Amino acid sequence: MKTPIHIPDAWQRISDLFVALGDAHRQRILLSFESGERLSISQIVAASNLSRTAITHHLKVLEQGGALRSEKVGKEVLFSIDKVYMQTSLQNVLNYIQQEI
């Protein structure tokens, strides 16, 4: 068994992404987006049975994990899926598994 000295750079934020993806409510939020779509908090709340406070919390976790990004447009904040970040992160994990395990 080799003892890991440090987390590889490519894995520095991966745990936050896995935390973000590890909750069924957050998974449902991500699945509510159409390809390339940007949604406001109000739109996400309207499509959910969760409170605005709960949605806001889940959006924050998804954004911190890298699954979502936000952009302020006028008075609204629009969220979109960060497909490139998620693909890159998950590919890094798959590459590690293929090479090391």
Side-chain angles (χ1 to χ4, degrees):
M1 174 165 91
K2 76 178 175 182
T3 305
I5 296 170
H6 73 284
I7 306 256
D9 290 341
W11 285 45
Q12 289 295 324
R13 288 189 56 214
I14 197 73
S15 63
D16 290 339
L17 178 59
F18 283 134
V19 167
L21 298 176
D23 179 87
H25 293 297
R26 291 191 285 273
Q27 291 170 14
R28 281 193 277 287
I29 289 169
L30 287 175
L31 292 169
S32 69
F33 284 82
E34 298 280 338
S35 181
E37 184 174 43
R38 298 185 314 166
L39 296 173
S40 68
I41 294 173
S42 297
Q43 290 171 307
I44 296 167
V45 169
S48 175
N49 60 353
L50 298 175
S51 69
R52 185 178 182 94
T53 303
I55 292 290
T56 300
H57 165 74
H58 289 304
L59 291 172
K60 180 179 177 184
V61 173
L62 287 164
E63 189 172 18
Q64 287 175 339
L68 289 180
R69 55 182 169 215
S70 64
E71 177 186 0
K72 185 150 173 96
V73 178
K75 293 182 179 182
E76 286 195 296
V77 176
L78 298 178
F79 291 88
S80 59
I81 293 178
D82 193 338
K83 188 175 180 178
V84 172
Y85 176 76
M86 286 200 298
Q87 286 176 327
T88 301
S89 296
L90 296 174
Q91 190 59 56
N92 288 338
V93 172
L94 291 173
N95 291 344
Y96 174 80
I97 290 168
Q98 290 170 348
Q99 293 170 6
E100 301 292 331
I101 297 178

